[in-house]
Amino acid sequence: MSTNWRISSFNGALLAAYFIPTWTIVAFKIMVSPIHGLYERPNISVALFISDHLQLAALNTVRFAWLLALGKLTVVAFFALFVVLITRASIRRSGGCDEALGMALAIGSLISFASMVMASQVGESAALRLHATELLLLLGTAIVLVVERPALPQAERSASAPDLSLQHPRILDNA
């Protein structure tokens, strides 16, 4: 059994399993039909905020919808890059995949926070719960990523801590 998975890597992989398919489907619906895709359930708060508060013309609404889709696809791309990078154990242990995860978390948190604020402004409670949940997932992983340090390389680990394998029992050292 492999024991070199960091908590942030595992948590990031779980987030990627949610955000990659969900946000890809939402973004492709917007790209196929910008106005109809914008008024789908995951984006309804953004669409209502645009129509009620910003009062944009149809072409500007389409541009805003495409910008939202581009932002969500950027988050998906960073999560996909993160998943590719965590397949290598050496990259995963040293924390080399943290940059891709950090960018996905930052951009995704910004999109979810803006969507949550827009949902609260238009009074859309279901969308508010959805975006608040996504924001909490992203922020929780960001906190774990910031707090958790990368694992020490094997040479430093053996020099700083005694070997606790079965061949050298710790109980006999206490005599």
Side-chain angles (χ1 to χ4, degrees), residues 62-136:
V62 169
R63 288 179 182 154
F64 194 84
W66 283 341
L67 184 63
L68 179 65
L70 180 66
K72 288 190 176 199
L73 284 179
T74 303
V75 172
V76 167
F78 277 115
F79 271 125
L81 178 64
F82 169 74
V83 168
V84 168
L85 289 175
I86 63 170
T87 57
R88 294 276 319 246
S90 61
I91 295 173
R92 184 177 56 243
R93 270 183 265 136
S94 68
C97 53
D98 291 347
E99 293 85 8
L101 180 60
M103 288 301 295
L105 294 174
I107 298 169
S109 296
L110 183 67
I111 292 171
S112 291
F113 180 74
S115 299
M116 184 183 69
V117 169
M118 291 178 199
S120 70
Q121 291 292 321
V122 297
E124 191 65 36
S125 62
L128 179 65
R129 285 191 299 269
L130 170 71
H131 298 304
T133 303
E134 288 178 346
L135 180 63
L136 287 174

